[in-house]
Amino acid sequence: MSAYQEKIRKFLDFSRKDFITAKNRKIIHYTLFGALIVLQFFLGLTLYNEWVNQSKVNELQKERRFADTVRQLSDKTRSDYLDAQWQLQNFFLKREPAYLDRYFTLLGVYWLAWILCME
């Protein structure tokens, strides 16, 4: 055996004797076991939060879609109302019944036009 191999053998024997004792093994094993328990706790906490928050996220998405629908309908109603006001103003200026018909159409009150025609 060469001198280099003898030095490596002595180093490895010393390392084994120094590092792997019963007292050190217990500390290392308990430390690894504790780290494993902490890791599992945080993993479980993360999975629980994802599971619970998913239903909240779905509910928020439904509310957002409903709010978007209401906003679109509100914008369309506002646009129709302003256009109807413009048609009424044109009717008063030009006295053409087409403007009045368009006004009632935009407001969606056909029954009001029918009542006015009946009088």
Side-chain angles (χ1 to χ4, degrees):
M1 218 185 277
S2 71
Y4 179 70
Q5 288 176 342
E6 189 64 33
K7 285 182 183 179
I8 291 175
R9 180 180 217 140
K10 284 182 183 179
F11 176 74
L12 291 176
D13 285 340
F14 176 75
S15 295
R16 283 188 206 140
K17 289 177 188 174
D18 186 43
F19 183 70
I20 306 177
T21 61
K23 187 176 182 181
N24 288 343
R25 261 186 287 169
K26 272 187 176 178
I27 292 171
I28 291 170
H29 286 156
Y30 284 132
T31 304
L32 289 172
F33 186 66
L36 188 64
I37 289 175
V38 169
L39 183 66
Q40 286 179 347
F41 172 75
F42 283 117
L43 180 65
L45 186 66
T46 302
L47 291 175
Y48 174 77
N49 281 336
E50 288 297 321
W51 181 66
V52 168
N53 289 336
Q54 186 63 36
S55 62
K56 292 178 185 176
V57 167
N58 289 340
E59 185 66 31
L60 287 173
Q61 285 177 344
K62 286 179 187 176
E63 289 178 13
R64 185 187 56 81
R65 277 188 237 119
F66 179 72
D68 286 344
T69 303
V70 168
R71 182 183 48 80
Q72 289 172 355
L73 289 174
S74 173
D75 290 345
K76 182 167 177 8
T77 303
R78 185 181 314 117
S79 173
D80 286 349
Y81 178 74
L82 292 174
D83 195 21
Q85 291 298 317
W86 181 254
Q87 295 298 325
L88 185 63
Q89 186 177 12
N90 284 337
F91 172 73
F92 285 135
L93 292 175
K94 299 179 183 176
R95 298 289 181 193
E96 292 181 17
Y99 290 118
L100 188 61
D101 291 338
R102 179 78 175 134
Y103 169 75
F104 287 129
T105 303
L106 286 171
L107 286 183
V109 285
Y110 296 110
W111 61 270
L112 184 59
W114 184 76
I115 290 174
L116 291 175
C117 290
M118 296 302 279
E119 290 181 351

